[in-house]
Each structure stands twice: as structure tokens, then as C-alpha cells.
Amino acid sequence: MKQSLRLVAAARYYLPVQLKSPPEWEAQYIEYLHHTEYQLALESLEGIGNLHTGYAEEPLFWQELLLAAQHMGLDDHATLYSSKLVSAQREQQV
């Protein structure tokens, strides 16, 4: 469980400091973490991440979410995050 917490929490640090999403979204993410609802926290970060593209750390964000999803055995999520990671890496190469 602690590893899930570490991976999900680490992903947040790869998002921009100033978020475009409503403040309630991050508050909800933090609430899920405090209640050990790691899948819900992961999904909250996914929603926030979807609003933020084209910044330098974006591939690292999706990579952390991918690792978290794999660790938690969330195969559908892992497939989505893998795709987003590849997309973000391609965007940075352009």
C-alpha cells in the first residue's frame, strides 16, 4: 500500500505548479490519498493531467501514473497512461 501511495503522490509533483483545473479537483485528490483510496486518487490526477499538455515534465507525469497503475494491477489504466506517455514524448520531439 505504501508503494501505491508513493507512486500516486509522486505523479502530482510532475504537474505544473499553477493548475488550470478547479482547486476542488486537487483537494479531492488529496482527500482520496488521506483515505487510502489510491485508485480514485489516480483517476483524479488523470483528470487534472488531461487538462495540462505540452509542458516539459508531462512525460514524467504519465510515466509515474503508468507505474502506479501497473503496481495496482489496473491494466486498463496502465494501457491508457502508456499511450499518453508515448504521445507526450512524441510532442516533445517535434
Side-chain angles (χ1 to χ4, degrees):
M1 251 172 53
K2 287 182 182 182
Q3 184 65 16
S4 296
L5 170 62
R6 283 187 207 116
L7 292 167
V8 174
R12 168 56 186 99
Y13 290 100
Y14 291 113
L15 284 169
V17 173
Q18 297 294 326
L19 298 175
K20 298 175 188 174
S21 55
E24 307 84 60
W25 290 19
E26 187 171 22
Q28 187 64 62
Y29 153 75
I30 292 168
E31 188 71 20
Y32 289 141
L33 283 183
H34 285 291
H35 292 285
T36 65
E37 297 285 348
Y38 300 133
Q39 181 175 347
L40 293 173
L42 181 90
E43 291 168 353
S44 292
L45 278 184
E46 175 189 333
I48 295 169
N50 284 330
L51 294 178
H52 300 84
T53 59
Y55 63 99
E57 293 82 14
E58 183 183 6
L60 296 171
F61 170 75
W62 293 114
Q63 183 176 13
E64 287 296 327
L65 280 190
L66 171 61
L67 291 171
Q70 289 172 333
H71 180 74
M72 290 188 272
L74 302 171
D75 297 334
D76 291 342
H77 287 76
T79 300
L80 174 64
Y81 303 151
S82 179
S83 172
K84 294 212 174 249
L85 171 59
V86 169
S87 224
Q89 289 170 331
R90 279 191 198 134
E91 286 296 316
Q92 289 194 342
Q93 292 175 352
V94 173

